[in-house]
Amino acid sequence: MKLPQLAPEVYQAWIAAEGAIRRGPLDPVVRELVKIRASQINGCVYCIDMHTTDARLAGETEKRIFQLDAWRESALYTEAERAALAYTEAVTRLGEHGVSDEIWADVEKHFEGGARAGLVAVTAMINLWNRIGVPLRMRPEPV
């Protein structure tokens, strides 16, 4: 399905939102870690491929990307990154309780207002893209 051609107005609005998020104050590495982690949870191979590449371009190391699925056990992530990843997992999985007060307090502790808003926006946006990519069976180009 060629979504940009079939729903150009909606697709362009999503692209505009993505651009606004990218221009925001959230650290680019944190932004890409969030996108990768949500995409891992949602099983979106297209987004995993795209955002691991984008993360490396933003200065992320392969070792940290490789350990992302087990970030709680890894010593490679900062407290701010851990807060962002915990928030990402809570939002992506939602469940019956959503984001706990403890997780949100940790986000508030590590991110100022604009970056916090960016974290909320990027997490919502990547979940939207995953919910497009997975059902449409989007795949990265073979190497």
Side-chain angles (χ1 to χ4, degrees):
M1 173 185 276
K2 301 288 184 191
L3 198 56
Q5 291 83 15
L6 295 173
E9 191 172 339
V10 172
Y11 189 79
Q12 285 307 310
W14 293 334
I15 294 298
E18 190 69 45
I21 292 166
R22 185 173 290 276
R23 291 186 301 276
L26 186 62
D27 178 78
V29 170
V30 171
R31 185 180 65 231
E32 295 307 323
L33 290 174
V34 164
K35 289 180 176 186
I36 296 165
R37 187 66 193 118
S39 299
Q40 288 173 332
I41 293 166
N42 290 323
C44 187
V45 67
Y46 184 85
C47 292
I48 292 168
D49 183 73
M50 176 189 302
H51 297 296
T52 54
T53 299
D54 289 349
R56 287 191 304 270
L57 292 173
E60 187 55 272
T61 66
E62 288 189 357
K63 188 167 187 164
R64 282 173 30 106
I65 292 170
F66 296 153
Q67 291 186 20
L68 187 56
D69 193 39
W71 64 269
R72 283 182 176 83
E73 290 75 32
S74 174
L76 299 181
Y77 303 95
T78 68
E79 291 303 312
E81 291 166 340
R82 291 174 181 285
L85 293 168
Y87 174 79
T88 299
E89 289 184 358
V91 169
T92 301
R93 292 186 173 121
L94 278 182
E96 67 182 66
H97 300 294
V99 177
S100 71
D101 291 342
E102 179 183 348
I103 288 173
W104 186 250
D106 210 23
V107 167
E108 287 181 316
K109 176 179 169 185
H110 294 288
F111 295 93
E112 55 81 27
R116 194 173 334 144
L119 177 61
V120 170
V122 73
T123 306
M125 197 73 205
I126 192 58
N127 275 285
L128 173 122
W129 288 122
N130 291 167
R131 280 154 180 79
I132 293 168
V134 172
L136 294 182
R137 294 180 175 86
M138 294 174 64
R139 302 287 182 262
E141 291 296 319
V143 178

